[in-house]
Amino acid sequence: MPQLNVTGPNSSAEANLAARLALSATTTGGEVMSDVEFFDWLDDRRRRHSQEVRRTTFAELSGWHFAQDSGDLEHHSGRFFAVRGLRVSTDFGPVQEWRQPIIQQPEIGVLGMAVREMGGVLHCLVQAKSEPGNVNGVQLSPTVQATKSNYTRVHGGSAVPYLDCFRGPRARGHRVLADVLQSEQGSWFYCKRNRNMIVEVGPEVEAGEDFCWLTLRQMHMLLRYENLVSMDARTVLSCLPDWHHPSGPGADLLPDVAVRSWITAQQSEREVDAALMPLSKVEGDGWRLAEDRISHERGLFFSIVPVDVVSNRREVASWSQPLLQPHGTGVVAMVVRRIDGVPHCLVHARVEAGYLDVVELGPTVQCTPENYEHLPAGSRPRFLDLVSEARPEQVLFDTVLSEEGGRFLHAQIRYLIVAADDEGPTDVPRDYQWVSLRQLGELLKYSHYLNVQARTLVAALRTVPGIAGPDAGDALGGAAANGGEPRADHR
Amino acid sequence: MPQLNVTGPNSSAEANLAARLALSATTTGGEVMSDVEFFDWLDDRRRRHSQEVRRTTFAELSGWHFAQDSGDLEHHSGRFFAVRGLRVSTDFGPVQEWRQPIIQQPEIGVLGMAVREMGGVLHCLVQAKSEPGNVNGVQLSPTVQATKSNYTRVHGGSAVPYLDCFRGPRARGHRVLADVLQSEQGSWFYCKRNRNMIVEVGPEVEAGEDFCWLTLRQMHMLLRYENLVSMDARTVLSCLPDWHHPSGPGADLLPDVAVRSWITAQQSEREVDAALMPLSKVEGDGWRLAEDRISHERGLFFSIVPVDVVSNRREVASWSQPLLQPHGTGVVAMVVRRIDGVPHCLVHARVEAGYLDVVELGPTVQCTPENYEHLPAGSRPRFLDLVSEARPEQVLFDTVLSEEGGRFLHAQIRYLIVAADDEGPTDVPRDYQWVSLRQLGELLKYSHYLNVQARTLVAALRTVPGIAGPDAGDALGGAAANGGEPRADHR
C-alpha cells in the first residue's frame, strides 16, 4: 500500500534538496571523475563507438515504405514514427496557410536521468551515446532515452539498461525529483511529447560501460562545449527543481497568476487549425518527392532523407531510417535582465503547428534566419537584431548545440543568452513577456508550458556565473559583466 | 508599459485574498441581496424569460447542413461547432475500439466571473440565463459566457455585456484571480477547452438586468439546489484560489512531485489513438441517422437531435441548432476522507477520447450506469457500489445538476460527495490516487489536469461544512458527521 506512506510537509525536504543541488552545482574536489579524467573517458568512448551513416534512397530504405493510400512514410511494424502531411491555417503571421511534411510519433518515450549522492555530492548518471544524426557521433545523453518501441523491443534489440529505475520508482524506494511530459519541436513533430524524469537512486546503481557519474558543476561546464550535451540531456536537466529559489514567490515583475493569465490570453487569441493529411497531398504545395529526399522547392525549411546506419554500440547493429535535415543553422536566444534585482527572461508566446495546445513559451528569438530571407523586411524575426548586435560583454552564453540525433540530421542551433542593455526593451509586444527565472522553474513542473528550445536555455542559464545570487557582482550585474569564472574556451 | 508595474512578493497579497474569500464564504448579513430577495428575483427572471424549444428534423434545421463529402453536420458560416465522427483505439478497458459522433468546437470561449467588494464583502456577478438544453430554462451562469462567434457577432446578435472586464483586465486596473484553459466533456467534445476567468472589478461595474451580486456563501448554498448553478458557473468557481490552504504544502499523503509523477505515469502508459473521421463513416458502426436524430442502435450513450429555439432574452430571438442528448442520468461521485487530519479525495486518472493529452483527473466514480448493463459484470465501474451503498451520514453532498445547456439536451448528473468509512479504501488500483484538496487547488491553476466533472465536485466540496478547517467536529470528522449548518432541503 504505497498510498499510505505518509510524508511530512514538503517544504523542509525541498529546502534540503535545493541545498544538495546547489552543492553539486558549485563544489570542486568531490567528483567521482575529475574533469581531466572525464575528457579522457570521452575520447575513449568516441574511439570505441564506430558508427557509419550513409545516405540512401527511399526505394532501398529497409523496413520502411510509402503507404499506398496516403503516401505516408511508415515503418512496416506500424511503430517508431511516420512522416505524414500536415495542413495548417492560422489567423496571424506572415504566412497564414501552408502544408508540410511532419513526423508523427504517438508513443511517449522516457528521458530519464538517475542521480545519486556519492561522497556527499549529487552526481548525474550520463551516457555516451551515438546517434545517426549527430555531427560528431557521441554526445552525452541522459541515463535512459527510450521509446516504448525500444523498451518493448519491437526491433528485437537488447534490454534498455537502467530502465527499471524509471518504472515505478517510488515502489523501489527511489525519490522522484521531476516527472513531467514535455513537448518537442512543434515545427517538426506533430504532438510529440516525452516523459522527462529525474530520479534519485541509491548505491545499488552503478555506472556500466558507456556511463559515468558527473556533478551538476561538471554538466554545466560541459554544456558550454559545442555539440556535447544532447538535447535530451538538456531538456531533462531543465526540469530539475530550481535550487536557487526554493522558497516561493519573490519580487517578480508580475505575480504568478498574471503570468499564467498572459499565457492563457495568448492561447485563447490565436486560432490555429492543424490537421494531419496524406503526405501525398503535400506534394505540389512547394514540396517535392525525389528518390533520395523530400524537400522544399526553394531549398527552405528542411528535407526528409533516408539513411542506412551501422553501429557497434546500439541495441541493433544496423538499420535504416528517415531523418529530418533542417536547412541552415538556427539561432535561439534568450534576452535576460535583472528587474529590481531579480533575473527575468523575455519569453515569447510561440505558436507552432505541432503543439498540443497552440502556444508554448519560447525564447526571445527562435528562427533560422535563412527561412525569412524571401519574406518582406517587416517579417524579420523580432529581437534578432538586438541579439546579433550585442556587444561581447552582453553575451553570457553562446554555444552551438545539436537537436535530437535520432530524428534530425545535423540539426545545429546556436544558443545564446544575451544580457539586455541598461533597462532592456520594456515596451514589448503583447506576445512577449518578462518572466522571472523562478517562475519559469514553476511552469516547468507542469506539461507544455515551455518549449524545448526554452528548456535548453533554462538549463544554460544555470551555467551563468552568479545568475541566481544577489544582484551585485554577477554576469548580469553590469559592473561585473562577464566576471566570475573564466568562460570555457569552446571554439 | 504595464510590464514595469513591479509588485511586491505575492505571498502577503495571496494571504489577504484568502482572508477575503473566506469572509465571503462564511459571512451572513453583509449581502447585497438577502437569500429571500434572491429567490424572489430568480422567480421573476424565470417568469420573464420565455423560451420555447421544439424538436425538429435535420432537413428543417435552419442554417445547418450535412457536408457533402464528409457527412459532418456543420453550420453554414463554418463557425460555432460541428458534429463529426471520431475513431478511437486504446490498449486497455473493456471496449478497445469504437467510432462515435463527437462535437468539435475549435474556438476557445470565455467563461468569466466578475467579483467585486461591496460592503467589505466579495460578491460574484451572476447571470440568470436560459439555455435551450436546460431542463428548467433559467440557471445561474457566470458574468460572461461567450464563444468567439458570440463576441465577434458572427450570428449578428447584440454585444456581450461585461465582456470588456475580461479582455485585457490588467490594463483596465482589474485584478485577475484566476485565468486558465480547462477542458470539457471528453466523451462528447473533441479537444474542447474554455478560458475560465475570475476578475476582481471596481465600483464602476454594476449589475444589469438579469444579473445579480451574490456572496460565496450564497453561491455555495445555491449549489445544493437541483439544476440551479450551471456547469459553466461551477467550473469557474472551482478555479478560485483555494482560500483554505493559502500557505503552501501541508501534511499531504504524497508530496506534490509524487502526485505529478503519478499523473505523468498514467499519461505515459495509456495509449489512445483518437482521430476525427467523416461522420458518414460512423454510421453502420452501431450509429444510425434518422430524419430527426443520430442515435446508437442499442439506445445507449447519446443522440444528436435538431431543435428550433425561440427566446425573448438571447442575442438572437430565434435559431436552430443540434444538441447532444445523453441517455440516462450520470452518477459522478468523489470519495473523500481525512488522512492525518488533512482532507483527501480519491481521484481517478481518467481517459476520455476527446482529451487533449490522453488523461485528466476525474472523480472516484463517473459513469452512466445504464451504459454498462450490456457489459460483463467485471466491467461495472469501480467504487460505484461503495457510493451507492453509502449510509446517509456518509453523504456530504447529493444534488442533481445540469451540464452545459447550450450543447446538451437535458443532461443531468447526480453529483455526490461520500465520506469513506473508517480508513476508506486504501489499497487502490494504480489509476486511482488520494490527492489532498489543497493539491487539487494547485493543479487547477494549470490547464488540463482536472476534468470538468471533478471541477464541479471541487466547487461542491467547498460547500461541505468545515471541510477545510481543523479535523475536529466537521462533516468528515466522524463524530460530528453531518453536523454544522443544516443541509438545504433541495428536493
Side-chain angles (χ1 to χ4, degrees):
Chain A
M1 292 184 293
Q3 283 82 6
L4 285 180
N5 238 329
V6 177
T7 63
N10 299 356
S11 40
S12 73
E14 275 174 22
N16 182 255
L17 174 62
R20 297 165 71 218
L21 291 169
L23 179 68
S24 178
T26 52
T27 196
T28 53
E31 304 86 356
V32 166
M33 192 183 252
S34 73
D35 297 357
V36 172
E37 286 166 342
F38 166 78
F39 284 109
D40 286 346
W41 174 84
L42 179 65
D43 282 347
D44 190 49
R45 290 304 98 195
R46 286 194 161 144
R47 274 193 301 274
R48 283 166 194 256
H49 285 236
S50 72
Q51 181 178 260
E52 223 179 291
V53 180
R54 197 176 55 79
R55 295 279 298 268
T56 181
T57 62
F58 289 116
E60 290 177 297
L61 195 65
S62 156
W64 294 78
H65 67 280
F66 290 105
Q68 206 146 28
D69 51 346
S70 61
D72 290 358
L73 183 56
E74 296 173 343
H75 192 256
H76 65 72
S77 67
R79 303 299 295 243
F80 300 109
F81 62 93
V83 181
R84 309 193 190 281
L86 188 75
R87 187 192 58 228
V88 188
S89 56
T90 71
D91 58 352
F92 66 95
V95 180
Q96 306 211 335
E97 219 172 306
W98 72 91
R99 298 172 180 201
Q100 66 166 84
I102 199 152
I103 301 174
Q104 188 194 26
Q105 180 173 340
E107 298 181 356
I108 296 177
V110 174
L111 306 178
M113 186 78 85
V115 300
R116 178 183 150 195
E117 193 166 293
M118 304 172 86
V121 180
L122 284 174
H123 285 70
C124 304
L125 185 58
V126 298
Q127 178 180 13
K129 192 172 170 73
S130 54
E131 293 283 6
N134 286 355
V135 286
N136 55 348
V138 170
Q139 298 195 7
L140 292 184
S141 290
T143 320
V144 163
Q145 178 180 323
T147 62
K148 212 170 190 174
S149 294
N150 286 144
Y151 62 73
T152 55
R153 306 197 210 171
V154 170
H155 54 19
S158 48
V160 177
Y162 303 105
L163 185 63
D164 283 347
C165 297
F166 303 93
R167 306 186 80 170
R170 283 175 57 81
R172 287 168 210 276
H174 296 159
R175 177 178 179 188
V176 178
L177 307 188
D179 187 359
V180 61
L181 293 191
Q182 297 292 5
S183 73
E184 296 189 0
Q185 288 79 0
S187 304
W188 300 340
F189 280 121
Y190 182 71
C191 297
K192 166 85 179 288
R193 52 230 204 286
N194 268 329
R195 185 174 180 187
N196 287 242
M197 291 184 83
I198 304 172
V199 168
E200 184 175 354
V201 299
E204 72 286 358
V205 177
E206 291 177 28
E209 209 188 341
D210 290 330
F211 290 81
C212 79
W213 295 103
L214 297 174
T215 64
L216 278 180
R217 182 196 62 75
Q218 291 177 310
M219 293 300 296
H220 289 169
M221 181 238 338
L222 299 173
L223 200 50
R224 288 177 168 259
Y225 283 75
E226 284 201 352
N227 297 311
L228 180 51
V229 178
S230 78
M231 181 190 96
D232 291 348
R234 300 186 314 259
T235 171
V236 175
L237 279 178
S238 77
C239 296
L240 261 181
D242 183 355
W243 61 91
H244 301 120
H245 311 274
S247 49
D252 312 300
L253 176 62
L254 295 182
D256 294 357
V257 64
V259 170
R260 296 194 301 268
S261 179
W262 168 72
I263 297 169
T264 306
Q266 293 295 319
Q267 289 175 312
S268 302
E269 285 169 20
R270 314 294 195 85
E271 257 183 66
V272 179
D273 183 14
L276 290 176
M277 65 185 303
L279 182 58
S280 57
K281 292 202 177 159
V282 167
E283 263 186 274
D285 200 45
W287 294 88
R288 303 262 180 276
L289 170 62
E291 64 174 12
D292 65 344
R293 75 189 64 196
I294 302 168
S295 55
H296 193 264
E297 58 187 6
R298 277 199 292 249
L300 298 175
F301 312 120
F302 58 80
S303 300
I304 303 290
V305 298
V307 299
D308 285 330
V309 189
V310 181
S311 162
N312 68 341
R313 269 303 202 267
R314 300 285 296 240
E315 307 96 278
V316 176
S318 75
W319 72 95
S320 302
Q321 69 168 90
L323 288 169
L324 185 153
Q325 178 175 35
H327 296 179
T329 297
V331 173
V332 167
M334 192 74 91
V335 173
V336 298
R337 58 175 288 219
R338 285 191 182 275
I339 299 174
D340 275 3
V342 176
H344 282 70
C345 300
L346 184 57
V347 296
H348 179 211
R350 192 176 164 85
V351 176
E352 295 186 15
Y355 289 154
L356 213 59
D357 205 1
V358 184
V359 166
E360 297 191 7
L361 301 191
T364 322
V365 173
Q366 176 186 326
C367 66
T368 303
E370 290 93 319
N371 287 345
Y372 290 82
E373 280 165 8
H374 67 295
L375 293 173
S379 301
R380 190 168 159 80
R382 277 174 297 188
F383 300 112
L384 180 57
D385 294 337
L386 185 154
V387 166
S388 44
E389 292 162 11
R391 297 184 308 281
E393 69 270 21
Q394 289 179 279
V395 179
L396 308 180
F397 184 95
D398 180 1
T399 308
V400 173
L401 297 168
S402 296
E403 304 307 286
E404 164 60 33
R407 294 292 172 274
F408 310 130
L409 181 62
H410 302 174
Q412 297 185 88
I413 289 178
R414 184 175 171 195
Y415 283 95
L416 295 132
I417 298 173
V418 175
D421 239 348
D422 301 327
E423 290 296 280
T426 50
D427 195 8
V428 297
R430 263 161 22 108
D431 49 338
Y432 290 78
Q433 186 59 263
W434 289 103
V435 177
S436 75
L437 197 46
R438 182 197 64 78
Q439 289 172 326
L440 294 182
E442 269 314 290
L443 292 170
L444 274 167
K445 296 178 181 174
Y446 301 89
S447 295
H448 313 316
Y449 282 91
L450 260 68
N451 79 357
V452 66
Q453 292 85 354
R455 297 202 301 278
T456 279
L457 286 171
V458 166
L461 269 160
R462 294 173 179 166
T463 74
V464 175
I467 188 87
D471 58 352
D474 72 7
L476 252 185
N482 212 19
E485 299 174 30
R487 261 180 78 211
D489 180 13
H490 55 272
R491 296 303 163 114
Chain B
M1 293 186 293
Q3 284 81 7
L4 285 180
N5 237 329
V6 176
T7 63
N10 299 356
S11 39
S12 72
E14 276 174 20
N16 181 256
L17 174 62
R20 296 165 72 217
L21 292 169
L23 179 69
S24 177
T26 51
T27 194
T28 52
E31 305 85 357
V32 166
M33 192 185 251
S34 73
D35 298 357
V36 171
E37 287 166 341
F38 165 78
F39 285 109
D40 286 347
W41 174 85
L42 179 66
D43 282 348
D44 190 48
R45 289 305 99 193
R46 287 194 159 143
R47 274 192 302 274
R48 282 166 195 256
H49 286 234
S50 72
Q51 180 179 263
E52 225 179 288
V53 180
R54 198 174 53 79
R55 295 278 298 266
T56 181
T57 62
F58 289 114
E60 290 176 297
L61 195 63
S62 157
W64 294 78
H65 67 280
F66 289 104
Q68 206 147 27
D69 51 344
S70 61
D72 290 358
L73 184 56
E74 296 172 343
H75 192 255
H76 65 73
S77 67
R79 303 299 296 241
F80 299 109
F81 62 93
V83 180
R84 309 194 191 281
L86 188 75
R87 186 194 58 228
V88 188
S89 55
T90 71
D91 59 351
F92 65 95
V95 179
Q96 305 212 335
E97 219 174 304
W98 73 91
R99 298 171 181 203
Q100 65 166 84
I102 198 149
I103 301 174
Q104 188 194 26
Q105 181 172 342
E107 297 182 355
I108 296 177
V110 173
L111 306 178
M113 187 78 86
V115 301
R116 179 184 149 194
E117 192 166 294
M118 304 171 85
V121 180
L122 285 174
H123 285 70
C124 304
L125 185 58
V126 299
Q127 178 180 13
K129 191 171 169 72
S130 54
E131 294 283 5
N134 286 354
V135 287
N136 54 350
V138 170
Q139 299 195 6
L140 291 184
S141 290
T143 319
V144 163
Q145 178 181 323
T147 62
K148 211 168 189 176
S149 294
N150 285 145
Y151 61 74
T152 55
R153 306 196 207 171
V154 171
H155 54 19
S158 48
V160 177
Y162 303 106
L163 184 64
D164 282 346
C165 297
F166 302 93
R167 307 186 79 170
R170 283 176 56 82
R172 288 168 210 276
H174 295 159
R175 176 178 181 187
V176 178
L177 306 187
D179 186 359
V180 61
L181 293 190
Q182 297 292 7
S183 73
E184 296 189 358
Q185 289 78 0
S187 305
W188 299 340
F189 280 122
Y190 181 72
C191 297
K192 166 85 179 285
R193 53 230 202 284
N194 268 329
R195 184 174 181 186
N196 287 242
M197 292 184 84
I198 304 171
V199 169
E200 184 174 354
V201 298
E204 72 285 359
V205 177
E206 291 176 28
E209 209 189 341
D210 290 331
F211 290 81
C212 78
W213 295 103
L214 297 173
T215 65
L216 278 180
R217 182 197 62 74
Q218 290 177 309
M219 293 302 294
H220 290 169
M221 179 238 340
L222 298 173
L223 200 49
R224 290 178 167 258
Y225 283 74
E226 283 200 355
N227 298 311
L228 179 50
V229 177
S230 78
M231 181 190 95
D232 292 347
R234 301 189 311 261
T235 171
V236 175
L237 279 178
S238 77
C239 296
L240 260 182
D242 183 355
W243 62 90
H244 301 120
H245 311 274
S247 50
D252 313 300
L253 176 63
L254 294 182
D256 294 358
V257 64
V259 170
R260 295 193 303 267
S261 180
W262 168 72
I263 297 169
T264 306
Q266 293 295 318
Q267 288 175 313
S268 302
E269 285 168 19
R270 313 296 195 84
E271 256 182 68
V272 179
D273 183 15
L276 290 176
M277 65 185 302
L279 183 58
S280 57
K281 293 202 174 158
V282 167
E283 263 187 274
D285 199 47
W287 293 89
R288 303 260 180 277
L289 170 62
E291 64 172 13
D292 65 344
R293 76 189 65 195
I294 302 168
S295 56
H296 194 264
E297 59 188 6
R298 277 199 292 249
L300 298 176
F301 312 120
F302 58 81
S303 300
I304 303 290
V305 298
V307 299
D308 285 329
V309 190
V310 180
S311 163
N312 67 341
R313 269 303 201 267
R314 299 285 295 237
E315 306 94 280
V316 177
S318 75
W319 73 94
S320 302
Q321 69 168 89
L323 288 169
L324 185 153
Q325 178 176 34
H327 296 179
T329 296
V331 173
V332 167
M334 191 74 89
V335 173
V336 297
R337 58 176 288 221
R338 284 192 182 273
I339 300 175
D340 276 0
V342 176
H344 281 71
C345 300
L346 184 58
V347 295
H348 179 210
R350 191 176 164 86
V351 176
E352 295 186 15
Y355 288 154
L356 214 58
D357 206 1
V358 183
V359 165
E360 296 190 8
L361 301 190
T364 323
V365 173
Q366 176 186 324
C367 65
T368 304
E370 291 93 321
N371 286 344
Y372 289 82
E373 280 166 7
H374 67 297
L375 292 173
S379 302
R380 190 168 158 81
R382 277 174 297 188
F383 300 111
L384 180 57
D385 293 339
L386 186 154
V387 166
S388 44
E389 292 162 10
R391 298 183 308 280
E393 69 270 23
Q394 290 179 278
V395 179
L396 308 181
F397 185 95
D398 180 2
T399 308
V400 172
L401 297 167
S402 296
E403 305 307 287
E404 165 59 33
R407 295 293 172 271
F408 310 129
L409 181 61
H410 301 175
Q412 296 185 88
I413 288 179
R414 184 176 170 194
Y415 283 95
L416 294 133
I417 298 173
V418 174
D421 238 349
D422 300 328
E423 291 297 280
T426 51
D427 195 10
V428 296
R430 262 160 24 106
D431 50 337
Y432 289 78
Q433 185 59 265
W434 288 102
V435 177
S436 75
L437 197 46
R438 181 197 65 79
Q439 289 172 325
L440 294 181
E442 269 314 290
L443 291 171
L444 273 168
K445 296 178 180 173
Y446 300 89
S447 295
H448 312 317
Y449 282 90
L450 260 71
N451 78 358
V452 66
Q453 291 85 357
R455 296 201 301 278
T456 279
L457 285 171
V458 166
L461 269 160
R462 295 172 178 165
T463 73
V464 174
I467 187 86
D471 59 351
D474 72 7
L476 253 184
N482 214 17
E485 300 175 28
R487 262 180 77 212
D489 179 11
H490 55 272
R491 298 302 164 113

